[in-house]
Amino acid sequence: MALIQRTHGEEQPYWGFGPFKIRLPGVHYRIEMPEVIQGLVMFVVGLAIIPLLEKYLGMPYEAALAFTFIAGIGYILPAMLGVPLVPGWITPAIPVVLLYLNGFEPGPEAIKALFALQIEVTLIFLILGMTGWGSKLVDVIPNSLKSGIIIGAGIAAMMGELKVGGRIDATPYSLIFGSIISAYVLFSLSFKNVLDSNPLAKKIANFGMVPGMLIAMVIGWGVGEYPMPEIEWGITNPNFSLMLDYLVFSTGFPEWDVYLLAIPTAIIAYVIAFGDIIVGFTLVKRIDHIRDDEKIETDIDRVHLVTALRNGMHAFLAPWPALAGPLWTAAHATVAERYAMGRKAMDSIYSGGGTFWITGLVALFILPLVTLFKPVLPIALSLTLVLTAYICIMVGMEQLKNSTERGVAGIVAVTLAMPDPKSTVFAVVIGLVLYFLIERPRLLGKHDPADEIIFADPVDDKAKTSQTEKV
């Protein structure tokens, strides 16, 4: 029970602080037990970035574990500062970021390169959040380029797992069965059809990725794809002093050419993150109509500012290959579904998201849990990437309006997914060139969107009617 209660139909209570609305657990919202249970399992996804820190930044495990605590603090900021989204990474951008990091030696060079990228992402979010230009900028970007980037990021994520020498070679059973079960619970139409009539299915759905992840881990241990855990008792002891050796204060700041090289990847990361914001707010608006007891504010500028704060914190204190994103789609969808069940199920949208990540931060200190999941961290990351690939390809395809856009987006996607650190630059350039040469009805002069109707898909009856009327 929270100390400050919400009046029916009003916003959840808060303390105003500039552009932010501060809400604290136990004071402004109650702790939700289902989210506590999820947090005790799903925090492992946050730990799953450790293998990437070890591989691409050349960090030892103890220092990488310290980085996850910095990330954990960042995860609790959105609900605390007035953002009704469950935050996570810019997950679809991970393959793109890794392609960028492939151009640098693990260690100081890669750390400086990641700092340059993350500080640029910080500035993009900060400037667009302060000026309110975010939505205007994304409207200017051609639809085919935006969709191609999203689809390409999904393809790159999937190919990273399925390529020769990828995770599918080393751990086929846990990856395949975990992906199938997770996808079935999250996306299957047949599973959704039985939710109302089957209480067990409804309980399983409440936990989102948890069932698939747990089954994948059990299979991995059972068939010997992962070593059995050596469980230790006590409190985790991340090496914060060693962590300091892997920050730019120790390695030095990057040269200007590194900042220039990071610009395309930073722009792509922002475009993907903005798509996450739209998805998250769409889910919020849908459930806001279902419940009239709470008014949910969706402030896109505040999302930008909080995301900028998190990325800036990472850049200086824990460079993060996954970047800090505004939405963890699977976790937010799970929270939204429970919120839609009514106030008894979840008091506030902030109590769901806030409880989830506060529990995740606490779980990082529980040594038995950390050592239990340590051998299977790769499968947690793999499942996240596979599910992200599905969502990216699905959302990217849905946004394309005609065959011309689909063609351009396909070329952008394939170019982006190429295993080349410069593929992000090529993808953006090719996408813009093809947009002007192929999509625009008028190569020169002012572009009239109404002219695009003439060149729409032949199968579009409305387009055919409009074309006939013009003729």
Side-chain angles (χ1 to χ4, degrees), residues 100-160:
Y100 163 74
L101 291 178
N102 274 334
F104 302 90
E105 285 292 325
E109 293 304 314
I111 292 169
K112 289 190 284 187
L114 186 52
F115 170 84
L117 171 62
Q118 197 138 31
I119 205 68
E120 288 176 0
V121 172
T122 299
L123 291 174
I124 292 174
F125 274 102
L126 182 62
I127 294 171
L128 298 181
M130 294 178 65
T131 59
W133 292 345
S135 57
K136 296 178 182 178
L137 175 63
V138 172
D139 288 340
V140 171
I141 300 175
N143 192 50
S144 56
L145 179 58
K146 288 187 290 187
S147 298
I149 288 172
I150 295 173
I151 296 170
I155 294 173
M158 183 64 76
M159 294 307 296

Side-chain angles (χ1 to χ4, degrees), residues 272-293:
I272 293 172
F274 190 88
D276 284 343
I277 295 174
I278 299 303
V279 171
F281 278 179
T282 300
L283 289 172
V284 168
K285 289 178 181 179
R286 181 177 65 83
I287 57 177
D288 196 22
H289 288 299
I290 296 175
R291 285 180 54 173
D292 61 359
D293 62 283

